[in-house]
Amino acid sequence: MTGPDPLRDELRELADNVAPADLYERSLARSRRLGRREAAVGTTAAVVALALLGSGLWQLPRSGPRPAAPVAGPPLAPSASAPVATEDRSTATGSQAAAPPRKSRSDRPRPAATTSSPRSTSIADLPGHIFYADRGDEGRLVRLTPGDQLETVLSKPYATVGVSPDGARVAYVADGSLMVVDTGGGEPQQAYAGTTSASQAPAWSPDGAQLLIDTTEPAVLDVASGALTPLPSGLDGQHFRWSGDGSTLVYGTAGCGLKVAETNAQSGTPVPESGDTGGRAACRPVSVDATGDLVTVHLEQNTADPAGTADPAAAPADAVLDTVTGDIVDLPVSGRVIGAVFDPDGNLLVRTYQDGKRKLSLFAPDFTLLLRAREPAYLRSLALVAYTR
């Protein structure tokens, strides 16, 4: 028999004292610890990230070059769809209701500050034809032709008269009827019955095909056919005159002012009131230049005109007015203006009176002085009516 083994007995005693281990439970416990640790780390990272976003520390310097700051430009115009403020909306509505002001042309000619020498001083060199009215001889109308020749073109009594742009025909009102006659002779022909004269002298269109007359209201008469077309109701006025190119109408208003309208417009634009008329008003246009920028006018309350007439509708023009600014044009002439008329091409004939003498000055559209001559003495009692080609 073998004797007792002390080592074996000791190992057996140790084995009896050790508790059996459960590996499954140990593994599960370890897995739970790892999960709690990862959740804690994730929560901490989220809190840190939110803190960085709120403080702006996330904008850390970059390794690349720093971007340049944008260059400031002009403020953008408000969008058409953007709402308009209440105080601006009323202003915009008012500006749309009012007629837009006329724009000044940069090429509009103006007289020189000093009087230049004329190209001619002889009345015989005057081109075109001048028409005068002899109101003291029952309405006789005379024409001064080149070469200082005077001839009578109308001997019938008339209330008011208009000369065609080419000087070939005359329209006049007598006993309520509109009559037309050739200046070369012939019998007058009735163009329209039932017209008035006080508020609208017959005004020829630049091509001589139409007449602006006053019936129950201002209207355009086709001379050949007799067709009558009333002006738009928005063109409420009197003394209508066409510009030389036919694009513009200038007319007087009931309040003693002037308006300008394109021939196809429904309303007119007021001419600004002038502050240099000496208290007189520009109520009646007499003739218009080629474009409608300038108009010769008769200023009311001008009783010192030696060639004036009793009929204010037939009184000669005594000033030239700018229809854009309302200013009186300072003409380079001596003496007092007692007549001024444009021809259809924009040439301006000015009649002046000084020291008992009358002179005629003819200006080109750019105000070049073409002629200045003494007017024949036998014309002194006549009133300037028209200047034609």
Side-chain angles (χ1 to χ4, degrees):
M1 285 184 66
T2 59
D5 188 348
L7 179 59
R8 181 176 299 175
D9 293 338
E10 188 173 347
L11 289 174
R12 185 180 293 115
E13 184 179 355
L14 289 174
D16 292 337
N17 292 331
V18 174
D22 191 336
L23 296 179
Y24 172 77
E25 288 294 333
R26 185 178 297 177
S27 175
L28 183 59
R30 185 173 183 273
S31 177
R32 288 172 179 169
R33 286 196 304 272
L34 290 175
R36 287 194 298 268
R37 185 181 302 169
E38 290 175 358
V41 172
T43 302
T44 303
V47 173
V48 173
L50 290 174
L52 290 175
L53 287 173
S55 63
L57 295 178
W58 61 276
Q59 293 180 329
L60 297 178
R62 300 179 182 178
S63 58
R66 193 171 189 177
V71 180
L76 297 178
S79 170
S81 60
V84 182
T86 303
E87 57 271 21
D88 294 336
R89 190 179 297 117
S90 60
T91 304
T93 304
S95 63
Q96 291 174 0
R102 301 183 69 232
K103 295 182 179 180
S104 178
R105 292 202 341 259
S106 59
D107 62 340
R108 178 185 290 109
R110 282 293 175 267
T114 57
T115 303
S116 59
S117 299
R119 295 181 181 179
S120 175
T121 58
S122 173
I123 193 69
D125 293 332
L126 182 70
H129 305 271
I130 307 176
F131 289 80
Y132 293 87
D134 186 357
R135 305 292 293 181
D137 192 13
E138 295 185 348
R140 185 171 68 107
L141 187 71
V142 299
R143 175 173 61 188
L144 182 67
T145 62
D148 194 12
Q149 298 296 318
L150 190 68
E151 56 183 342
T152 299
V153 296
L154 181 63
S155 58
K156 306 285 186 179
Y158 62 86
T160 188
V161 67
V163 182
S164 66
D166 59 2
R169 290 178 293 174
V170 172
Y172 64 97
V173 176
D175 298 326
S177 294
L178 176 69
M179 311 296 291
V180 176
V181 64
D182 292 341
T183 55
E187 286 297 318
Q189 303 295 318
Q190 180 176 283
Y192 188 81
T195 184
T196 59
S197 60
S199 59
Q200 179 62 55
W204 291 86
S205 62
D207 59 2
Q210 298 173 312
L211 278 165
L212 234 167
I213 62 175
D214 191 25
T215 56
T216 55
E217 57 188 354
V220 177
L221 174 72
D222 185 276
V223 178
S225 66
L228 191 68
T229 305
L231 291 179
S233 59
L235 299 181
D236 185 17
Q238 55 193 1
H239 308 303
F240 287 84
R241 292 291 184 269
W242 261 297
S243 63
D245 61 5
S247 66
T248 306
L249 288 173
V250 181
Y251 58 97
T253 65
C256 201
L258 295 178
K259 283 189 176 183
V260 179
E262 295 181 357
T263 50
N264 59 351
Q266 299 298 310
S267 62
T269 300
V271 174
E273 293 185 6
S274 175
D276 52 1
T277 60
R280 297 174 295 168
C283 300
R284 183 174 65 86
V286 174
S287 65
V288 187
D289 74 342
T291 62
D293 290 336
L294 299 174
V295 57
T296 64
V297 295
H298 173 72
L299 299 177
E300 297 296 333
Q301 302 174 358
N302 184 14
T303 57
D305 186 354
T309 63
D311 181 7
D318 52 12
V320 177
L321 186 140
D322 187 316
T323 59
V324 176
T325 64
D327 296 332
I328 299 296
V329 177
D330 188 12
L331 299 173
V333 295
S334 299
R336 186 158 43 87
V337 176
I338 58 174
V341 285
F342 284 106
D343 73 358
D345 299 323
N347 299 297
L348 174 65
L349 182 70
V350 180
R351 188 189 195 194
T352 54
Y353 175 82
Q354 185 178 33
D355 299 330
K357 300 177 183 179
R358 291 165 178 78
K359 288 186 178 181
L360 296 173
S361 301
L362 180 63
F363 296 92
D366 62 355
F367 282 99
T368 298
L369 183 57
L370 302 178
L371 179 142
R372 175 164 290 154
R374 186 170 179 177
E375 185 184 69
Y378 54 78
L379 297 171
R380 62 180 302 161
S381 63
L382 307 184
L384 180 63
V385 172
Y387 176 64
T388 67
R389 304 183 180 99

